[in-house]
């Protein structure tokens, strides 16, 4: 019976369909998660490794002599050394479809909360501050504003639809431009990276984290944005230079930001914690029970597919499959 190691507790309901044919090891609900060191000690005998919040680095991969597939609980997989996995012929699985709706919703929630100051007002009311001016430009309406979407994949497209429902005009940039048919379907205008930066009232990030995107939003880009513009990041933390962002927010280079992801999670740039014009959430964009259960099914489906000699759609390096 093939053995599957899971780094964190998952509901029994997720594993039940496979238990007759596969042997699962995962921590109890009380323990919650295995440490990296515990994973390293156990991984040698397992056929598959399902990562919920841990690493799949070269050290782990080299120790896992029997490993046939590794899966990540999310769209991104920068916590896995997937390039090395590809070199040694190890398939890497992700969850590209089941996070879409929840993540897009959260990105839009951050957008509204940030542009309308919801989190700031909440903090003030709890402190006994009743800040209700008759005339103030501290916040702005979402309706009629231009949203720039950086990365027009599944989540970017869903954010586009939701933003248009709020009355926003949408422009986008993606390394791989969508077809004219898709642009017409979504009523969206393609622009260069620089033009999206210059013309957006709010920019939301939905691009993958790859080396060329490291700190792609930096001090220079913030200076090119409107001083009335907002930045939303529900993609990956290292896309944004947090120190430069904190300075831009503090200096008024841009007006506000909403962040669900950070460079060094769970640590957050200390200056960001001191600012009122930034809304912060702890990487929970996909955190609905429906989405998380779906992510488990999608990851496990990919794992089982590989173990059964199939070619699942959610293998990110399909070239290793023969």
């Amino acid at each position: 019976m093939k053995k599957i190691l899971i780094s964190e507790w998952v509901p029994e309901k997720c594993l039940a369909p496979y238990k007759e044919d596969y042997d699962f090891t995962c921590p109890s609900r009380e323990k919650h998660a295995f440490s990296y060191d515990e994973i390293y000690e156990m991984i040698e005998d397992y056929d598959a490794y399902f990562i919920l919040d841990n690493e799949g680095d070269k050290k782990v991969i080299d120790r896992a002599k029997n490993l046939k597939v590794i899966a990540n609980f999310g769209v991104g997989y920068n916590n896995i050394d997937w390039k090395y996995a590809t070199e040694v012929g190890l398939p890497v699985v992700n969850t590209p479809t089941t996070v879409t709706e929840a993540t897009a919703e959260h990105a839009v929630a951050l957008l509204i909360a940030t542009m309308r100051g919801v989190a700031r007002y909440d903090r003030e009311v709890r402190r006994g501050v009743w800040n209700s001016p008759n005339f103030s430009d501290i916040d702005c309406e979402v309706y009629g504003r231009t949203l720039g979407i950086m990365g027009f994949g599944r989540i970017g497209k869903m954010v586009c639809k939701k933003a248009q429902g709020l009355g926003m005009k949408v422009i986008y940039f993606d390394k791989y431009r969508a077809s004219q048919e898709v642009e017409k379907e979504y009523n969206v205008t393609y622009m260069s990276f620089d033009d999206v930066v210059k013309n957006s009232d709010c920019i939301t990030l939905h691009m993958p984290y790859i080396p060329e995107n490291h700190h792609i939003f930096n001090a220079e880009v913030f200076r090119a944005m409107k001083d009335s513009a907002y930045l939303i990041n529900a993609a990956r933390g290292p896309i944004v230079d947090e120190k430069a962002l904190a300075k831009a927010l503090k200096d008024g280079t841009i007006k506000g930001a909403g962040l669900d992801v950070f460079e060094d999670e769970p640590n957050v740039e200390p200056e960001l914690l001191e600012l009122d014009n930034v809304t912060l959430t702890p990487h929970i964009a996909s955190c609905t029970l429906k989405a998380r259960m779906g992510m488990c099914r999608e990851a496990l489906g990919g794992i089982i597919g590989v173990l059964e000699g199939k070619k699942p759609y959610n293998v990110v390096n399909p070239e290793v499959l023969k």
Side-chain angles (χ1 to χ4, degrees):
M1 184 177 286
K2 289 185 170 62
K3 300 172 65 177
I4 300 173
L5 177 61
I6 306 177
S7 67
E8 286 190 17
W9 176 82
V10 299
E12 176 65 23
K13 186 177 180 180
C14 296
L15 307 181
Y18 310 106
K19 277 207 158 181
E20 286 188 8
D21 301 308
Y22 295 91
D23 179 18
F24 292 95
T25 300
C26 70
S28 66
R29 190 167 191 171
E30 293 71 27
K31 180 178 175 60
H32 178 63
F34 292 128
S35 69
Y36 176 87
D37 290 340
E38 287 174 322
I39 293 292
Y40 182 76
E41 289 300 318
M42 291 188 289
I43 194 69
E44 190 171 12
D45 297 327
Y46 285 85
D47 298 281
Y49 177 28
F50 180 15
I51 302 175
L52 278 84
D53 188 14
N54 216 306
E55 292 183 64
D57 60 12
K58 183 178 183 296
K59 181 180 175 182
V60 167
I61 292 171
D62 281 343
R63 182 171 174 81
K65 303 300 183 183
N66 294 325
L67 204 61
K68 300 170 183 67
V69 58
I70 187 168
N72 194 51
F73 189 65
V75 179
Y77 44 89
N78 53 292
N79 57 320
I80 298 171
D81 191 339
W82 63 273
K83 289 187 176 180
Y84 181 67
T86 302
E87 287 178 20
V88 298
L90 181 65
V92 175
V93 170
N94 69 340
T95 61
T97 67
T98 46
V99 303
T100 303
E101 182 65 44
T103 302
E105 275 189 2
H106 192 74
V108 174
L110 277 176
L111 182 154
I112 296 173
T114 303
M115 294 179 72
R116 294 305 307 269
V118 174
R120 184 185 69 256
Y121 288 124
D122 177 79
R123 291 191 295 268
E124 289 177 350
V125 171
R126 292 173 188 276
R127 296 199 308 266
V129 176
W130 195 263
N131 179 19
S132 181
N134 286 327
F135 301 96
S136 171
D137 65 353
I138 192 170
D139 305 311
C140 73
E141 293 174 348
V142 171
Y143 181 86
R145 305 288 174 170
T146 296
L147 177 66
I149 297 178
M150 293 293 193
F152 204 61
R154 291 184 182 92
I155 296 171
K157 289 183 176 73
M158 188 65 71
V159 169
C160 174
K161 287 292 189 183
K162 295 180 187 302
Q164 288 167 337
L166 296 170
M168 301 187 84
K169 173 187 175 183
V170 180
I171 58 179
Y172 84 98
F173 169 77
D174 194 291
K175 183 178 178 181
Y176 303 101
R177 182 174 177 176
S179 67
Q180 290 183 347
E181 291 75 16
V182 169
E183 290 180 355
K184 184 177 180 180
E185 176 187 353
Y186 285 87
N187 190 27
V188 64
T189 301
Y190 172 85
M191 290 186 179
S192 69
F193 180 93
D194 290 342
D195 284 342
V196 170
V197 167
K198 294 174 184 176
N199 288 284
S200 298
D201 297 304
C202 181
I203 296 173
T204 182
L205 308 182
H206 302 290
M207 54 181 59
Y209 178 62
I210 53 180
E212 65 193 80
N213 288 341
H214 182 78
H215 285 186
I216 194 170
F217 272 78
N218 50 42
E220 182 180 356
V221 173
F222 298 138
R223 286 192 296 269
M225 291 171 65
K226 298 179 182 180
D227 59 9
S228 58
Y230 298 82
L231 178 73
I232 306 299
N233 188 9
R236 283 293 181 266
I239 292 171
V240 176
D241 182 339
E242 283 183 18
K243 289 186 181 295
L245 174 61
K247 187 176 187 303
L249 291 167
K250 190 174 182 179
D251 295 348
T253 303
I254 65 172
K255 195 166 185 180
L259 307 175
D260 183 54
V261 290
F262 305 90
E263 287 194 67
D264 183 28
E265 297 176 1
N267 303 304
V268 179
E269 171 61 36
E271 282 191 271
L272 289 173
L273 300 173
E274 300 171 1
L275 298 173
D276 279 334
N277 57 341
V278 59
T279 305
L280 309 171
T281 57
H283 203 151
I284 46 80
S286 65
C287 192
T288 69
L289 184 58
K290 179 181 178 181
R292 293 291 170 91
M293 294 290 283
M295 290 164 69
C296 273
R297 287 193 296 270
E298 191 167 28
L300 288 169
I303 288 173
I304 302 304
V306 171
L307 293 179
E308 292 180 351
K310 300 174 184 177
K311 296 183 178 181
Y313 68 90
N314 54 334
V315 174
V316 303
N317 54 348
E319 63 270 27
V320 305
L321 297 175
K322 299 178 182 179

